[in-house]
Amino acid sequence: MNEAKQATDAPLLSGADYLRDILRAPVYEVAQITPLQPMQRLAERIGNQVQLKREDRQPVHSFKLRGAYTMMAQLSQAQRQAGVIAASAGNHAQGLALSGRQLGVSTVIVMPRTTPDIKVDAVRSFGGNVVLHGSNFDEAKAHAENLAAKHGYTFIPPFDHPAVIAGQGTIGIELLQQNGHLDYVFVPVGGGGLAAGVSVLLKQLMPDIKVIGVEAEDSACLRAALDAGEPVTLDQVGMFADGVAVKRIGTETFRLCQQYLDDVITVSSDAICAAVKDIFEDTRAIAEPSGALSLAGLKKYAEAHQLKDQQLAAILSGANLNFHGLRYVSERCELGEKREGLLAVTVPERPGAFLDFCHILGGRAVTEFNYRYNDDTLANVFVGVRLMQGQEELESIIADLRQGGYPVVDLSDDEMAKVHVRYMIGGRPSKPLQERLYSFEFPEYPGALLKFLTTLGTRWNISLFNYRNHGADYGRVLCGFELEEHDLLSFTSHLRELGYHWKDETDNPAYKFFLAQ
């Protein structure tokens, strides 16, 4: 039987019960007490003391070891002999594998076939038996549950179990021991195990400390649950911060987060990238996106609430990053810090027009400039500008350009422009097309692109195609199709059959500026 399901059937634990279980958790048989490290550069910039809880320093480079070991240590001798199983694409898998090696328990971890080799190899290096199955986490989890029923394995859930929550809550003890004068603690939220454990501990011992949950905007399952009053399942989740890409928060974790968290905020992918950069500049550590999530929330919350001279702590929850993912981080961190603006500017094709345009920009550094001749009257230019004063400066530049007679559109928050269009400037069709534009996300496994082209590319002509992958386990495609109005119903039906996440981008302003007829 699924252990998470057993937990929901058992009597609910009180805050005092959790406090007892956290204090008794045997995590230090395998885990480390991680440092609480000052971030001096960031502190000076935002006017508050900032400290980072370095869970990336654990043997598995993530906090997940604490919860996995705590639950496994409580298993009966019969359960240990039968072995345990879990579904995971990363950090929980590594924590489970190392816990199994420490306790002498056989571990089976079902991972999606799309999981990068670096994560699969890490699990195997800790002694885990990896089974690759399915193209996503849900398929892997279903297979793990089937194997558990077939072989008598105990299923170890990644977050929704009291023992797992108690193990994660030991971070709260260390925070108080390392700095008993904290005003705010920011905790990343995926399934909610870490946020539940830390908040229930802190609120039992130091209720004046504000505990703030931080979610990625595109996987905010706790925010959705709070709005609905109960856990709900999101239709889609973004995979950039894959460590928190959870469609549905746990039942028990939701109960605790709802009761003990003081607030929950969401942050963008660009803000997470900026936090990764902040961590590197202050500590020389490279966090995975979900590992930098709580720091991104700290910065946003401090600015929104005008916090000054407060003691703030964020949890660097993990550093199991696919190295090639840093390409995306480096491209987007300046945007996340409001240190760069992206603009589409219409420039007249006349002598001196570009010179006048550059005069308006003044001495500002241009980070990107894309132009291609369009016609005899107008040209559309894609330009990036370095900003020293954030959004206020960007708005001033836009006002100056418009006053100078240059129509301009701000693309700084346009996801399609940032991911695709900036690499495609100048590609306009040479003949009129009935074109519609769609963006897609699909898993990176052999045959995924072939499936895409087989399903969509034989009946309708593909008029535009751009593929971007930043080292993630999913691909991002921008695709144009020649579609008559009467084809739309049939085409949409094929999109649903395809099963990939998609979005109609035909009305996107970046497309109209640079790619459309």
Side-chain angles (χ1 to χ4, degrees):
M1 184 178 184
N2 188 312
E3 291 291 330
K5 183 64 167 62
Q6 288 181 1
T8 60
D9 294 339
L12 298 178
L13 299 183
S14 66
D17 292 331
Y18 270 107
L19 176 59
R20 176 202 62 213
D21 291 347
I22 292 170
L23 293 172
R24 289 177 173 176
V27 297
Y28 302 110
E29 295 173 7
V30 65
Q32 305 291 323
I33 296 176
T34 56
L36 184 63
Q37 184 171 354
M39 297 188 66
Q40 194 60 41
R41 291 167 61 106
L42 180 60
E44 292 173 358
R45 199 166 84 223
I46 70 172
N48 294 281
Q49 293 188 44
V50 180
Q51 295 179 295
L52 196 64
K53 183 63 171 160
R54 295 287 306 275
E55 283 298 290
D56 60 308
R57 300 282 291 272
Q58 293 293 354
V60 297
H61 308 294
S62 149
F63 76 97
K64 286 285 190 177
L65 176 62
R66 297 173 184 262
Y69 188 84
T70 299
M71 181 170 175
M72 287 180 63
Q74 297 178 10
L75 298 180
S76 68
Q77 189 59 36
Q79 288 174 314
R80 293 189 184 197
Q81 289 177 347
V84 301
I85 193 169
S88 172
N91 293 340
H92 180 55
Q94 295 178 54
L96 191 75
L98 180 56
S99 297
R101 188 172 73 181
Q102 180 77 10
L103 294 167
V105 177
S106 174
T107 57
V108 178
I109 297 97
V110 183
M111 309 182 81
R113 295 196 307 269
T114 58
T115 306
D117 289 343
I118 187 173
K119 295 183 178 181
V120 175
D121 293 342
V123 173
R124 287 175 173 155
S125 72
F126 290 121
N129 301 304
V130 175
V131 175
L132 296 175
H133 181 89
S135 60
N136 55 52
F137 173 77
D138 291 334
E139 293 177 8
K141 181 182 178 184
H143 188 61
E145 290 172 341
N146 289 336
L147 291 177
K150 180 178 179 180
H151 298 289
Y153 302 139
T154 297
F155 188 89
I156 307 293
F159 47 83
D160 200 23
H161 189 284
V164 175
I165 294 168
Q168 321 300 28
T170 57
I171 293 176
I173 299 174
E174 294 175 23
L175 285 169
L176 293 181
Q177 291 173 335
Q178 291 165 329
N179 185 353
H181 300 282
L182 290 171
D183 296 301
Y184 290 84
V185 172
F186 294 82
V187 189
V189 180
L194 178 59
V198 169
S199 62
V200 71
L201 182 284
L202 292 179
K203 288 301 181 180
Q204 296 300 302
L205 299 180
M206 299 279 285
D208 290 340
I209 296 177
K210 303 295 185 185
V211 187
I212 313 298
V214 185
E215 294 188 285
E217 285 179 353
D218 53 10
S219 55
C221 61
L222 175 55
R223 180 73 271 164
L226 291 171
D227 292 343
E230 62 182 2
V232 295
T233 303
L234 302 178
D235 293 332
Q236 297 285 339
V237 293
M239 294 303 297
F240 171 58
D242 59 348
V244 292
V246 177
K247 288 186 176 181
R248 184 184 180 93
I249 196 162
T251 302
E252 177 67 354
T253 55
F254 172 68
R255 181 180 76 88
L256 295 172
C257 288
Q258 185 181 42
Q259 181 176 353
Y260 292 105
L261 286 179
D262 292 285
D263 203 353
V264 178
I265 61 171
T266 61
V267 295
S268 68
S269 294
D270 288 353
I272 295 171
C273 291
V276 172
K277 181 185 175 186
D278 288 325
I279 290 171
F280 176 77
E281 289 184 339
D282 251 311
T283 70
R284 294 301 185 264
I286 300 177
E288 62 183 280
S290 58
L293 176 63
S294 63
L295 185 67
L298 180 154
K299 292 166 59 184
K300 180 178 179 178
Y301 192 91
E303 180 180 7
H305 293 266
Q306 298 184 326
L307 300 183
K308 291 297 176 186
D309 301 320
Q310 299 289 295
Q311 298 208 36
L312 316 178
I315 299 173
L316 197 177
S317 57
N320 288 303
L321 175 73
N322 186 342
F323 182 79
H324 296 293
L326 290 173
R327 286 182 292 175
Y328 181 92
V329 173
S330 66
E331 287 178 359
R332 303 291 283 266
C333 61
E334 298 293 295
L335 290 164
E337 293 177 334
K338 303 298 182 185
R339 294 183 182 180
E340 183 184 27
L342 297 180
L343 303 173
V345 183
T346 301
V347 179
E349 286 284 6
R350 61 171 173 78
F354 274 112
L355 181 60
D356 293 343
F357 169 74
C358 292
H359 278 312
I360 293 175
L361 291 181
R364 298 180 178 93
V366 174
T367 58
E368 188 166 353
F369 195 95
N370 293 293
Y371 160 73
R372 185 173 177 180
Y373 174 82
N374 186 41
D375 61 31
D376 292 335
T377 58
L378 298 173
N380 290 324
V381 174
F382 187 101
V383 60
V385 183
R386 178 85 67 220
L387 304 173
M388 303 303 293
Q389 299 170 347
Q391 187 65 28
E392 182 179 340
E393 182 180 4
L394 181 61
E395 291 171 0
S396 175
I397 293 171
I398 292 172
D400 290 344
L401 286 170
R402 287 174 176 163
Q403 186 175 354
Y406 295 85
V408 58
V409 173
D410 183 5
L411 299 179
S412 304
D413 293 322
D414 189 312
E415 187 68 13
M416 195 184 84
K418 292 184 285 189
V419 173
H420 295 287
V421 175
R422 68 196 305 178
Y423 305 102
M424 302 172 66
I425 303 304
R428 288 184 181 275
S430 59
K431 65 177 183 178
L433 294 176
Q434 288 290 104
E435 185 178 59
R436 296 193 70 86
L437 193 69
Y438 296 86
S439 59
F440 298 88
E441 291 183 4
F442 59 75
E444 284 286 3
Y445 66 87
L449 184 59
L450 179 61
K451 177 183 176 182
F452 176 89
L453 296 173
T454 302
T455 305
L456 297 178
T458 56
R459 180 171 176 181
W460 295 281
N461 182 50
I462 294 178
S463 55
L464 175 153
F465 195 90
N466 179 253
Y467 166 74
R468 292 286 293 164
N469 182 284
H470 298 89
D473 54 4
Y474 63 100
R476 305 182 74 166
V477 166
L478 185 68
C479 197
F481 296 88
E482 285 192 79
L483 290 172
E484 301 289 342
E485 194 70 29
H486 61 79
D487 281 331
L488 286 179
L489 186 61
S490 176
F491 183 77
T492 303
S493 175
H494 277 70
L495 289 183
R496 296 194 181 98
E497 176 189 333
L498 183 66
Y500 299 155
H501 179 52
W502 59 272
K503 181 181 177 183
D504 190 333
E505 304 279 12
T506 307
D507 293 328
N508 184 281
Y511 166 66
K512 291 183 175 180
F513 259 93
F514 298 110
L515 302 173
Q517 179 70 32

